[in-house]
Structure formats: C-alpha cells, structure tokens
Amino acid sequence: MAFYNSWSPTERHVIYTSIGPIFQSAKTTVQIARIEFDPSDLNGDKEDVPCNVKILTREDTGNNAFASCSPDGKSLVFRSGRTGHKNLYIVDAVDGEFNGGIRQLTEGPCIDTMPHWSPKGDLIAFSSNRHKPDDEAVFSIYVINPDGSGLRRIHVAGTEADRERINHVCFSNDGEWLLFTANLGGVTAEPVSWPNQFQPYGDLYVVRLDGSGLRRLTWNGYENGTPAWHTGDDELDLGRLRLGNGVGDKLKGQFDEPLWISCDI
C-alpha cells in the first residue's frame, strides 16, 4: 500500500512512507521506511527506479504510519500503536528509533493520526478523536508544539460541534492556513446517485490557524483526500504529474486525472 507518502524538505532524493496495512489495529505490524533514490533516474524511460529502503521503526512496535518530516530534515513525527493506543512519536529522520532514540509526543486512550509538521517548525497539526475517544468516526484538528506543550483543538465547526470528521490536514507554506478534508458539507447529493462512494466525507476546506476564515474548495460526491499544498516559488509542472505519461507499466482500468485547485487566500 502506497498511501500518505512524504517528501523530505531538505533532501530531494528521500521519501518517507509506511509498509503494511496502516488502517488496521494498533498492534498490527506497520513500519516507517526511508526511501532514497537518485533523482537522475527519474528522467528517461526507465521502467524501474533503483532505491534503498531503510526501516526506521522496530517490527514489534505495532502500527507505525503517517510520517511527516521537520522542516530542517532532522526529525520525523508519526503515529504509532506501540502502547495499544495510536499516539504521536518523534524519531531521528535518518536513524529512526534504532540509534537516534524515540520520544512520545502525545498520549491517551484515543487516536492521534495523520500529523503534519509546520514549515516554520513551530507546530505539528494532526487529526484526533481525543475529545470523543469512544467514537472512531469523529475527528477534529489539533495542534501541538514539537516539545509536547501547547496542545489545543482548532474548532472549525464551532465550539459545540463534536460530530465532524476532519482528516489529512496540512499547513500552507506560511504556516497560517490549514488544508484538510472533512464532512462539514453534510450530504449534498442523494446517496443512491453515488453507489461507489465508500465514505460519507471528503470535500476539501481551508481554515486559518485560529479556526477562522473557513472556506470550502470542492463540492462533489467523491472522497477528495490526501491533499498537498504546492509551496514552491516556481510554477508547478503538471505534465509530469499526469497519469499515462508513457513511463512505467500501462495502467489498466478507469482512472481520473488529479485535480488541481488554485485558491486565493
């Protein structure tokens, strides 16, 4: 399963990912991996890109997934089920927990997941049901300082709302906005008209770090998830990111092109 991969912000030849069934129980074996490759191998008609896969977590530590690298490239924050609950931990981005040690960032009988390190390095945003830990279908946005202090909830749907499902949160380049997918729009189409929709959420939104300025970006019956915010100064080359560019195996089945959204904030 290749899901929720993360680029190193300082090493253009390094990707962090998870190996294993990441949505299974806390004790299911899933490991964080560091993948290194030669960027020159991405050019040309190579069917396979040589790479080195380095495991950063121990095999007996449960479900480790959703790694996000610090802006200086030195540390990783990720979700782990090693205590029986899915909480956040920080390890060395090169040596993992084997030589660099490991530090627990959050704790409690809840699900803390999908963390994202702010480009400024001062905050880590993540999804959690810690306000309603007995309900695994309810998630909200939380932020915490990398030293474990300053934990707080971002009230996107009001201070009394406890039924929202917000996931896949990520920071804008200036660290002032959060992009995420959520069920805040409710049911906007008859369920029978979307027979292949397997989750009742998935529209994209942005909101300021203080919870103000909520804006909806998509409006459809599909699950729009795992968004990434283009943070570079150069114009994004969409051509190389489209499906069916002639490199790799021929795709079989029906596929949609990635959606690109411009948002003035």
Side-chain angles (χ1 to χ4, degrees), residues 56-189:
L56 301 182
T57 50
R58 299 198 317 270
E59 188 175 1
D60 60 349
T61 56
N63 195 329
N64 304 294
F66 302 110
S68 177
C69 196
S70 61
D72 61 6
K74 296 180 179 180
S75 301
L76 284 181
V77 60
F78 66 99
R79 182 209 70 193
S80 179
R82 61 189 61 211
T83 65
H85 303 296
K86 295 179 179 178
N87 300 129
L88 302 185
Y89 293 77
I90 293 178
V91 295
D92 185 86
V94 177
D95 296 323
E97 64 176 304
F98 296 102
N99 296 318
I102 186 168
R103 174 167 59 88
Q104 186 168 358
L105 184 64
T106 65
E107 59 183 20
C110 56
I111 301 175
D112 301 324
T113 189
M114 300 180 183
H116 189 261
W117 214 308
S118 166
K120 294 181 179 180
D122 58 336
L123 287 174
I124 293 171
F126 61 98
S127 296
S128 179
N129 69 340
R130 56 178 46 242
H131 56 287
K132 206 171 183 180
D134 294 330
D135 192 342
E136 295 187 1
V138 173
F139 288 87
S140 189
I141 300 176
Y142 288 79
V143 293
I144 191 172
N145 299 325
D147 63 2
S149 65
L151 175 66
R152 63 185 174 93
R153 180 182 174 187
I154 306 296
H155 290 280
V156 174
T159 57
E160 302 300 323
D162 283 331
R163 297 180 61 186
E164 72 270 34
R165 181 167 182 169
I166 301 176
N167 293 107
H168 307 170
V169 59
C170 60
F171 281 96
S172 62
N173 192 37
D174 60 7
E176 299 298 326
W177 289 82
L178 297 168
L179 169 65
F180 57 91
T181 183
N183 65 346
L184 301 181
V187 178
T188 57

Side-chain angles (χ1 to χ4, degrees), residues 184-204:
L184 301 181
V187 178
T188 57
E190 290 288 344
V192 71
S193 66
W194 305 106
N196 296 320
Q197 181 186 1
F198 63 95
Q199 287 184 321
Y201 81 101
D203 279 316
L204 299 184

Side-chain angles (χ1 to χ4, degrees), residues 1-8 13-23 29-37 51-58 62-69 75-79 91-93 96 115 226:
M1 177 183 291
F3 185 81
Y4 223 86
N5 305 302
S6 175
W7 288 90
S8 167
H13 62 288
V14 173
I15 297 174
Y16 296 99
T17 190
S18 306
I19 299 177
I22 59 179
F23 292 113
T29 298
V30 181
Q31 293 175 288
I32 300 295
R34 172 186 168 97
I35 301 176
E36 298 184 29
F37 60 93
C51 64
N52 177 55
V53 179
K54 182 179 181 181
I55 303 299
L56 301 182
T57 50
R58 299 198 317 270
N63 195 329
N64 304 294
F66 302 110
S68 177
C69 196
S75 301
L76 284 181
V77 60
F78 66 99
R79 182 209 70 193
V91 295
D92 185 86
T226 62

